[in-house]
mmCIF file of all heavy atoms in Angstrom:
data_model
loop_
_atom_site.group_PDB
_atom_site.id
_atom_site.type_symbol
_atom_site.label_atom_id
_atom_site.label_comp_id
_atom_site.label_asym_id
_atom_site.label_seq_id
_atom_site.Cartn_x
_atom_site.Cartn_y
_atom_site.Cartn_z
ATOM 1 N N PHE A 298 50.742 83.280 135.422
ATOM 2 C CA PHE A 298 52.077 82.687 135.413
ATOM 3 C C PHE A 298 53.145 83.713 135.661
ATOM 4 O O PHE A 298 53.124 84.816 135.071
ATOM 5 C CB PHE A 298 52.340 81.971 134.085
ATOM 6 C CG PHE A 298 53.793 81.549 133.935
ATOM 7 C CD1 PHE A 298 54.257 80.426 134.607
ATOM 8 C CD2 PHE A 298 54.678 82.287 133.182
ATOM 9 C CE1 PHE A 298 55.568 80.061 134.536
ATOM 10 C CE2 PHE A 298 56.017 81.900 133.077
ATOM 11 C CZ PHE A 298 56.455 80.795 133.780
ATOM 12 N N TYR A 299 54.153 83.363 136.455
ATOM 13 C CA TYR A 299 55.364 84.179 136.646
ATOM 14 C C TYR A 299 56.573 83.230 136.647
ATOM 15 O O TYR A 299 56.566 82.214 137.370
ATOM 16 C CB TYR A 299 55.307 84.957 137.967
ATOM 17 C CG TYR A 299 54.114 85.845 138.131
ATOM 18 C CD1 TYR A 299 53.170 85.631 139.112
ATOM 19 C CD2 TYR A 299 53.911 86.945 137.260
ATOM 20 C CE1 TYR A 299 52.059 86.423 139.255
ATOM 21 C CE2 TYR A 299 52.800 87.732 137.388
ATOM 22 C CZ TYR A 299 51.885 87.503 138.395
ATOM 23 O OH TYR A 299 50.786 88.313 138.510
ATOM 24 N N GLY A 300 57.598 83.607 135.910
ATOM 25 C CA GLY A 300 58.825 82.813 135.937
ATOM 26 C C GLY A 300 59.394 82.549 134.567
ATOM 27 O O GLY A 300 59.334 83.433 133.698
ATOM 28 N N ASP A 301 59.950 81.370 134.383
ATOM 29 C CA ASP A 301 60.660 81.013 133.172
ATOM 30 C C ASP A 301 59.793 81.259 131.935
ATOM 31 O O ASP A 301 58.698 80.712 131.828
ATOM 32 C CB ASP A 301 61.078 79.551 133.280
ATOM 33 C CG ASP A 301 61.914 79.109 132.062
ATOM 34 O OD1 ASP A 301 62.144 79.903 131.160
ATOM 35 O OD2 ASP A 301 62.349 77.930 132.077
ATOM 36 N N GLU A 302 60.307 82.062 131.013
ATOM 37 C CA GLU A 302 59.535 82.405 129.823
ATOM 38 C C GLU A 302 59.266 81.234 128.914
ATOM 39 O O GLU A 302 58.512 81.334 127.943
ATOM 40 C CB GLU A 302 60.254 83.511 129.055
ATOM 41 C CG GLU A 302 61.595 83.065 128.487
ATOM 42 C CD GLU A 302 62.298 84.178 127.732
ATOM 43 O OE1 GLU A 302 61.814 85.315 127.690
ATOM 44 O OE2 GLU A 302 63.351 83.893 127.159
ATOM 45 N N THR A 303 59.887 80.083 129.176
ATOM 46 C CA THR A 303 59.584 78.876 128.390
ATOM 47 C C THR A 303 58.098 78.568 128.425
ATOM 48 O O THR A 303 57.525 78.125 127.418
ATOM 49 C CB THR A 303 60.405 77.690 128.920
ATOM 50 O OG1 THR A 303 61.787 78.018 128.869
ATOM 51 C CG2 THR A 303 60.167 76.456 128.052
ATOM 52 N N VAL A 305 55.646 80.698 128.629
ATOM 53 C CA VAL A 305 54.949 81.652 127.741
ATOM 54 C C VAL A 305 55.102 81.236 126.290
ATOM 55 O O VAL A 305 54.175 81.385 125.477
ATOM 56 C CB VAL A 305 55.503 83.055 127.972
ATOM 57 C CG1 VAL A 305 54.763 84.063 127.097
ATOM 58 C CG2 VAL A 305 55.400 83.465 129.449
ATOM 59 N N ASP A 316 54.425 87.163 133.552
ATOM 60 C CA ASP A 316 55.683 87.916 133.538
ATOM 61 C C ASP A 316 56.797 86.900 133.384
ATOM 62 O O ASP A 316 57.142 86.188 134.324
ATOM 63 C CB ASP A 316 55.854 88.743 134.816
ATOM 64 C CG ASP A 316 57.109 89.609 134.770
ATOM 65 O OD1 ASP A 316 57.678 89.748 133.698
ATOM 66 O OD2 ASP A 316 57.488 90.172 135.824
ATOM 67 N N GLY A 317 57.365 86.815 132.182
ATOM 68 C CA GLY A 317 58.380 85.819 131.903
ATOM 69 C C GLY A 317 59.793 86.345 132.167
ATOM 70 O O GLY A 317 60.068 87.523 131.964
ATOM 71 N N THR A 318 60.663 85.444 132.610
ATOM 72 C CA THR A 318 62.063 85.790 132.817
ATOM 73 C C THR A 318 62.919 84.839 131.947
ATOM 74 O O THR A 318 62.528 83.676 131.697
ATOM 75 C CB THR A 318 62.483 85.635 134.295
ATOM 76 O OG1 THR A 318 62.181 84.287 134.715
ATOM 77 C CG2 THR A 318 61.740 86.582 135.165
ATOM 78 N N THR A 319 64.072 85.315 131.533
ATOM 79 C CA THR A 319 64.952 84.532 130.646
ATOM 80 C C THR A 319 65.578 83.387 131.433
ATOM 81 O O THR A 319 66.205 83.603 132.454
ATOM 82 C CB THR A 319 66.033 85.409 130.045
ATOM 83 O OG1 THR A 319 65.448 86.462 129.342
ATOM 84 C CG2 THR A 319 66.927 84.613 129.114
ATOM 85 N N SER A 320 65.423 82.196 130.929
ATOM 86 C CA SER A 320 65.887 81.012 131.660
ATOM 87 C C SER A 320 67.351 80.699 131.411
ATOM 88 O O SER A 320 67.981 80.011 132.199
ATOM 89 C CB SER A 320 65.058 79.794 131.264
ATOM 90 O OG SER A 320 65.156 79.548 129.875
ATOM 91 N N PHE A 321 67.931 81.207 130.301
ATOM 92 C CA PHE A 321 69.277 80.769 129.889
ATOM 93 C C PHE A 321 70.380 81.651 130.459
ATOM 94 O O PHE A 321 71.542 81.342 130.302
ATOM 95 C CB PHE A 321 69.373 80.708 128.380
ATOM 96 C CG PHE A 321 68.512 79.656 127.760
ATOM 97 C CD1 PHE A 321 67.335 79.996 127.124
ATOM 98 C CD2 PHE A 321 68.838 78.328 127.862
ATOM 99 C CE1 PHE A 321 66.519 79.031 126.567
ATOM 100 C CE2 PHE A 321 68.053 77.356 127.325
ATOM 101 C CZ PHE A 321 66.885 77.673 126.698
ATOM 102 N N GLU A 328 67.918 88.254 140.785
ATOM 103 C CA GLU A 328 66.838 89.024 140.154
ATOM 104 C C GLU A 328 65.846 88.103 139.446
ATOM 105 O O GLU A 328 64.642 88.375 139.387
ATOM 106 C CB GLU A 328 67.427 90.005 139.155
ATOM 107 C CG GLU A 328 68.281 91.114 139.794
ATOM 108 C CD GLU A 328 68.837 92.037 138.751
ATOM 109 O OE1 GLU A 328 68.428 91.963 137.596
ATOM 110 O OE2 GLU A 328 69.716 92.853 139.103
ATOM 111 N N VAL A 329 66.342 86.995 138.913
ATOM 112 C CA VAL A 329 65.473 86.081 138.181
ATOM 113 C C VAL A 329 64.379 85.518 139.097
ATOM 114 O O VAL A 329 63.267 85.192 138.628
ATOM 115 C CB VAL A 329 66.314 84.958 137.525
ATOM 116 C CG1 VAL A 329 66.799 83.977 138.572
ATOM 117 C CG2 VAL A 329 65.539 84.242 136.434
ATOM 118 N N ASP A 330 64.666 85.379 140.387
ATOM 119 C CA ASP A 330 63.646 84.908 141.327
ATOM 120 C C ASP A 330 62.905 86.063 141.990
ATOM 121 O O ASP A 330 61.712 85.940 142.329
ATOM 122 C CB ASP A 330 64.319 84.066 142.423
ATOM 123 C CG ASP A 330 64.689 82.670 141.895
ATOM 124 O OD1 ASP A 330 64.207 82.311 140.799
ATOM 125 O OD2 ASP A 330 65.456 81.960 142.562
ATOM 126 N N ASN A 332 61.969 88.664 140.507
ATOM 127 C CA ASN A 332 60.954 89.064 139.552
ATOM 128 C C ASN A 332 59.694 88.216 139.657
ATOM 129 O O ASN A 332 58.622 88.620 139.216
ATOM 130 C CB ASN A 332 61.499 88.979 138.103
ATOM 131 C CG ASN A 332 62.478 90.092 137.813
ATOM 132 O OD1 ASN A 332 62.423 91.170 138.420
ATOM 133 N ND2 ASN A 332 63.370 89.856 136.867
ATOM 134 N N VAL A 333 59.832 87.027 140.247
ATOM 135 C CA VAL A 333 58.658 86.185 140.470
ATOM 136 C C VAL A 333 58.017 86.505 141.832
ATOM 137 O O VAL A 333 56.813 86.693 141.914
ATOM 138 C CB VAL A 333 59.084 84.673 140.440
ATOM 139 C CG1 VAL A 333 57.876 83.810 140.710
ATOM 140 C CG2 VAL A 333 59.684 84.343 139.089
ATOM 141 N N ARG A 335 58.076 89.152 143.633
ATOM 142 C CA ARG A 335 57.507 90.498 143.818
ATOM 143 C C ARG A 335 56.029 90.549 143.471
ATOM 144 O O ARG A 335 55.338 91.505 143.870
ATOM 145 C CB ARG A 335 58.304 91.536 143.010
ATOM 146 C CG ARG A 335 58.215 91.331 141.492
ATOM 147 C CD ARG A 335 59.187 92.245 140.785
ATOM 148 N NE ARG A 335 59.243 92.017 139.373
ATOM 149 C CZ ARG A 335 58.527 92.675 138.468
ATOM 150 N NH1 ARG A 335 57.674 93.620 138.869
ATOM 151 N NH2 ARG A 335 58.611 92.402 137.167
ATOM 152 N N HIS A 352 57.546 79.599 138.411
ATOM 153 C CA HIS A 352 58.717 78.822 138.016
ATOM 154 C C HIS A 352 59.975 79.581 138.461
ATOM 155 O O HIS A 352 60.328 80.602 137.834
ATOM 156 C CB HIS A 352 58.718 78.568 136.509
ATOM 157 C CG HIS A 352 59.785 77.627 136.038
ATOM 158 N ND1 HIS A 352 59.602 76.767 134.981
ATOM 159 C CD2 HIS A 352 61.040 77.376 136.499
ATOM 160 C CE1 HIS A 352 60.711 76.073 134.794
ATOM 161 N NE2 HIS A 352 61.586 76.428 135.705
ATOM 162 N N LEU A 354 64.018 79.976 138.938
ATOM 163 C CA LEU A 354 65.203 79.534 138.192
ATOM 164 C C LEU A 354 66.505 79.654 138.987
ATOM 165 O O LEU A 354 67.530 79.140 138.541
ATOM 166 C CB LEU A 354 65.337 80.362 136.916
ATOM 167 C CG LEU A 354 64.297 80.086 135.833
ATOM 168 C CD1 LEU A 354 64.241 81.240 134.836
ATOM 169 C CD2 LEU A 354 64.569 78.777 135.117
#
Side-chain angles (χ1 to χ4, degrees):
F298 169 77
Y299 303 116
D301 184 358
E302 64 181 5
T303 303
V305 182
D316 184 12
T318 56
T319 302
S320 60
F321 294 105
E328 294 179 10
V329 73
D330 285 346
N332 287 334
V333 179
R335 64 189 175 93
H352 189 147
L354 290 162

